[in-house]
Amino acid sequence: MQKKAELYRGKAKTVYSTENPDLLVLEFRNDTSALDGERIEQFDRKGMINNKFNYFIMTKLQEAGIPTQMEALLSDNEALVKKLEMMPVECVVRNRAAGSLVKRLGVEEGMILNPPLFDLFLKDDAKNDPMVNESYCETFGWVNRENLARLRKLTYKANEVLSKLFSDVDLILVDFKLEFGLFKGEVVLGDEFSPDGARLWDKETLNKMDKDRYRQSLGGLIEAYEEVANRLGVKLD
Ligand code: TMP
């Protein structure tokens, strides 16, 4: 499938139209950003790793009954996906306290959250993606009540599937973010799942194996992403 026009350039991916109006090409670039895009750097191999990692995870979620936009892996850094009408919210599940939750509530990093928390953030860079809740979504018309229930259910289901998948290779799924859209009226998982939008800690050492290595200037970002991919058996080369 040939790429046609560039439709949208995000912080780490570019989206292209194709000759089929229902399909898009997602191109994963080597860019890594932090602080809402204020800090950006390139890392060799990152686009390829995230593309193949995302394809692997989306396939697992699809097999578990979660509808995803994934159609095919096209190349090292491109995937063919269904064109969704994206909902303007990010769905976050937290199994352990980290990141903005620790900052906001002052709880200890690593605290087990049982049952896991479900947070919603509005996708709006100019406002720094503020935290919202279900009633905001309904009142402002971002997502209707029926679709909200579906978002929550699918995000928790993904948490079950992925927590087990990572636990089996001695990784803790601390938290993650998902984005959904509508395809012919159905709620479908879009965007990506990669260590850019999830926190993964080694079970034994609690070492961070995700984008926090970049956010916190810990070094070894690509080595950590490759280690996670290798543990899962994602074929990289
Ligand atoms: P947070 O601790 O910054 O709220 O993030 C929780 C998880 O969701 C973490 O794995 C990073 C991911 N996330 C994104 O990838 N993009 C976002 O805009 C937000 C708010 C969270």
Side-chain angles (χ1 to χ4, degrees), residues 87-149:
M87 298 173 178
V89 293
E90 302 184 332
C91 301
V92 170
V93 164
R94 301 176 191 274
N95 295 306
R96 298 226 189 187
S100 71
L101 180 74
V102 169
K103 232 186 252 169
R104 193 155 39 85
L105 296 184
V107 292
E108 194 182 344
E109 186 180 67
M111 177 190 173
I112 293 172
L113 304 167
N114 188 20
L117 292 172
F118 177 77
D119 283 340
L120 285 165
F121 294 89
L122 178 66
K123 276 182 72 69
D124 187 334
D125 280 344
K127 298 189 176 73
N128 292 324
D129 293 347
M131 191 174 166
V132 295
N133 64 33
E134 269 123 325
S135 83
Y136 285 59
C137 290
E138 274 193 76
T139 298
F140 291 110
W142 299 323
V143 187
N144 69 32
R145 186 180 293 206
E146 189 190 345
N147 286 341
L148 276 168

Side-chain angles (χ1 to χ4, degrees), residues 16-17 22 36 43 46-47 51 74 85 92 95 98 100 111 113 151 162 165 172 203 209 219 227 233:
Y16 297 88
S17 61
D22 283 338
D36 280 318
F43 288 89
K46 177 169 171 282
N51 182 40
L74 287 182
E85 199 184 307
V92 170
N95 295 306
S100 71
M111 177 190 173
L113 304 167
L151 287 189
L162 297 179
L165 190 78
I172 301 169
K203 236 187 223 178
M209 313 281 285
E227 163 84 23

Side-chain angles (χ1 to χ4, degrees), residues 3 6 17 24 31 44 54 82 104 118 120 141 143 156 162 165 192 199 202 220 224 227 231:
K3 289 193 280 199
E6 179 178 316
S17 61
L24 300 172
D31 297 335
D44 239 19
N54 178 55
K82 288 189 187 76
R104 193 155 39 85
F118 177 77
L120 285 165
V143 187
Y156 272 122
L162 297 179
L165 190 78
E192 70 176 282
R199 289 193 172 93
D202 180 81
E227 163 84 23
R231 283 199 202 182

Side-chain angles (χ1 to χ4, degrees), residues 120-232:
L120 285 165
F121 294 89
L122 178 66
K123 276 182 72 69
D124 187 334
D125 280 344
K127 298 189 176 73
N128 292 324
D129 293 347
M131 191 174 166
V132 295
N133 64 33
E134 269 123 325
S135 83
Y136 285 59
C137 290
E138 274 193 76
T139 298
F140 291 110
W142 299 323
V143 187
N144 69 32
R145 186 180 293 206
E146 189 190 345
N147 286 341
L148 276 168
R150 192 88 182 119
L151 287 189
R152 177 191 266 272
K153 194 162 177 225
L154 290 174
T155 306
Y156 272 122
K157 172 81 183 164
N159 188 44
E160 262 174 48
V161 174
L162 297 179
S163 290
K164 163 128 186 27
L165 190 78
F166 288 112
S167 177
D168 286 348
V169 295
D170 293 329
L171 290 167
I172 301 169
L173 179 59
V174 171
D175 59 24
F176 63 93
K177 180 259 304 177
L178 298 180
E179 295 181 29
F180 293 86
L182 293 174
F183 185 76
K184 303 181 196 286
E186 185 194 15
V187 177
V188 171
L189 177 59
D191 192 52
E192 70 176 282
F193 184 100
S194 75
D196 274 3
R199 289 193 172 93
L200 296 161
W201 295 352
D202 180 81
K203 236 187 223 178
E204 201 158 312
T205 62
L206 300 183
N207 277 346
K208 295 175 178 172
M209 313 281 285
D210 53 63
K211 196 167 142 184
D212 272 351
R213 299 207 71 81
Y214 177 71
R215 295 189 192 97
Q216 301 174 6
S217 303
L218 300 172
L221 180 82
I222 292 305
E223 291 78 0
Y225 283 30
E226 287 196 317
E227 163 84 23
V228 172
N230 287 335
R231 283 199 202 182
L232 287 173

